[in-house]
């Protein structure tokens, strides 16, 4: 479904290397996504080259901000149809990727497709990010938490930072409006124990679109009261 030579080139342009098996897995995942999208609303991006750039390469820009060590665990909050979680799992077989979403049907699609493709370094959580963050099994347990197209930075920081280990990072993948968003999120980030370590501007190969990776380092533990109830967060 997608041109794996072009995908290989795009991945190389990001400074990464993908084996044929990994390229084929991404291709098969793309095919399953577009097929399922005919009966379930998973994505508005279905044109093969757009799936390649806007889903796969765009997701993999995360690795320009974070190079995982063996055993590091990722959490993708609001993974939707599996982005950036699935490309990260395929590219990093020695790392576990946990994908979380409040919509069960999306999680079920990602789970079943990963299972059928034998992408085994993945686990799934269905529920609200701000609720599951109070479960001690997940709280401050992740080396790298990422999220793409989920929410405004202020809301997202409160939901995401409780999951990040001390010394770990939260990476928000953004396309627009970051200046205002960051300004409004500054206090929340500080209150939750984070500090913005870098805002990286990156170019997605092939589509040449500009993206921003907001990299927040966790420097102190998050107080127990966070994240608050969603109605409180959005007030
Ligand atoms: N990250 C994917 C991507 O970039 O293609 C999906 C983006 S989609 C626009 C946003 C997703 O975030 C939806 O699947 C929604 O269910 C999920 N979401 C939004 N707020 C959430 C929350 N508080 N907890 C869990 N999932 C949430």
């Amino acid at each position: 479904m997608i041109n794996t030579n072009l995908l290989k080139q795009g991945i190389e342009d990001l400074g990464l290397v993908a084996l044929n098996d990994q390229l084929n897995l991404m291709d098969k995942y793309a095919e399953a996504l577009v097929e399922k999208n005919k009966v379930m609303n998973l994505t508005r991006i279905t044109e093969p080259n757009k799936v390649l750039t806007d889903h796969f390469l765009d997701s993999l820009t995360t690795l320009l901000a974070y190079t995982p060590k063996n055993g590091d665990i990722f959490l993708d909050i609001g993974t939707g149809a599996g982005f950036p979680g699935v490309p990260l799992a395929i590219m990093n077989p020695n790392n576990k990727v946990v994908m979380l979403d409040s919509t069960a049907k999306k999680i079920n699609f990602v789970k079943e497709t990963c299972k059928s493709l034998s992408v085994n370094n993945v686990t799934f959580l269905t529920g609200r990010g701000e609720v599951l963050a109070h479960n001690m099994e997940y709280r401050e347990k992740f080396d790298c938490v990422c999220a793409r197209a989920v929410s405004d930075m202020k809301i997202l920081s409160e939901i995401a930072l409780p999951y990040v280990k001390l010394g770990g990072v939260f990476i928000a993948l953004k396309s627009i409006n970051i200046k205002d968003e960051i300004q409004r999120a500054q206090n929340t980030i500080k209150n939750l124990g984070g500090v913005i370590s870098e805002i990286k501007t990156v170019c997605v190969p092939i589509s040449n679109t500009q993206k921003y990776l907001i990299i927040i380092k966790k420097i102190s533990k998050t107080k127990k009261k966070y994240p608050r109830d969603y109605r409180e967060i959005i007030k």
Side-chain angles (χ1 to χ4, degrees):
M1 127 113 208
I2 55 179
N3 180 335
T4 47
N5 289 328
L6 199 60
L7 179 61
K8 185 174 198 270
Q9 183 59 55
I11 290 173
E12 279 173 14
D13 291 348
L14 286 172
L16 306 166
V17 180
L19 305 172
N20 281 342
D21 284 354
Q22 291 168 311
L23 296 167
N24 288 334
L25 281 175
M26 290 188 232
D27 178 32
K28 290 205 174 94
Y29 191 86
E31 200 176 315
L33 171 67
V34 171
E35 194 53 37
K36 190 72 175 180
N37 204 51
K38 291 176 185 163
V39 291
M40 183 194 285
N41 187 16
L42 286 167
T43 179
R44 54 182 175 77
I45 301 163
T46 52
E47 195 272 308
N49 279 348
K50 278 267 176 208
V51 174
L52 190 160
T53 55
D54 296 12
H55 278 326
F56 287 91
L57 295 179
D58 189 284
S59 292
L60 290 174
T61 61
T62 311
L63 298 172
L64 301 180
Y66 188 76
T67 306
K69 301 182 293 305
N70 260 357
D72 277 359
I73 307 178
F74 286 94
L75 171 68
D76 175 15
I77 298 181
T79 191
F83 300 99
V86 168
L88 290 176
I90 292 173
M91 283 299 284
N92 299 284
N94 295 324
N95 297 98
K96 189 166 127 184
V97 179
V98 179
M99 286 173 256
L100 179 159
D101 204 284
S102 54
T103 309
K105 64 170 194 171
K106 291 184 181 174
I107 286 291
N108 287 342
F109 161 75
V110 184
K111 194 187 215 169
E112 277 162 23
T113 310
C114 284
K115 194 173 170 202
S116 74
L117 297 176
S118 297
V119 175
N120 295 322
N121 55 329
V122 287
T123 51
F124 301 93
L125 296 172
T126 306
R128 299 284 308 175
E130 65 277 16
V131 174
L132 290 168
H134 288 282
N135 183 327
M136 295 315 285
E137 211 180 316
Y138 315 125
R139 197 171 176 89
E140 302 195 317
K141 293 289 189 291
F142 296 91
D143 302 280
C144 178
V145 175
C146 46
R148 185 183 85 152
V150 175
S151 195
D152 176 86
M153 261 326 267
K154 186 169 155 61
I155 300 171
L156 197 53
S157 301
E158 179 156 347
I159 297 174
L161 276 164
Y163 289 98
V164 183
K165 264 186 194 168
L166 263 187
V169 290
F170 164 45
I171 302 168
L173 287 80
K174 293 273 176 189
S175 331
I176 42 163
N177 274 341
I178 55 159
K179 221 170 154 196
D180 289 353
E181 274 199 41
I182 290 171
Q183 196 115 36
R184 277 184 275 116
Q186 289 283 8
N187 272 343
T188 306
I189 294 169
K190 190 168 162 232
N191 286 340
L192 270 282
V195 65
I196 296 179
S197 65
E198 194 183 347
I199 298 166
K200 234 178 154 66
T201 307
V202 297
C203 175
V204 179
I206 299 160
S207 66
N208 287 324
T209 45
Q210 192 158 296
K211 293 282 302 184
Y212 306 96
L213 304 175
I214 304 168
I215 309 163
I216 300 174
K217 199 169 161 88
K218 181 87 170 254
I219 55 167
S220 56
K221 288 191 82 161
T222 300
K223 293 189 192 109
K224 266 193 188 146
K225 69 170 180 176
Y226 296 117
R228 294 165 295 162
D229 183 87
Y230 194 70
R231 280 163 302 185
E232 282 292 309
I233 300 179
I234 59 170
K235 247 184 204 170

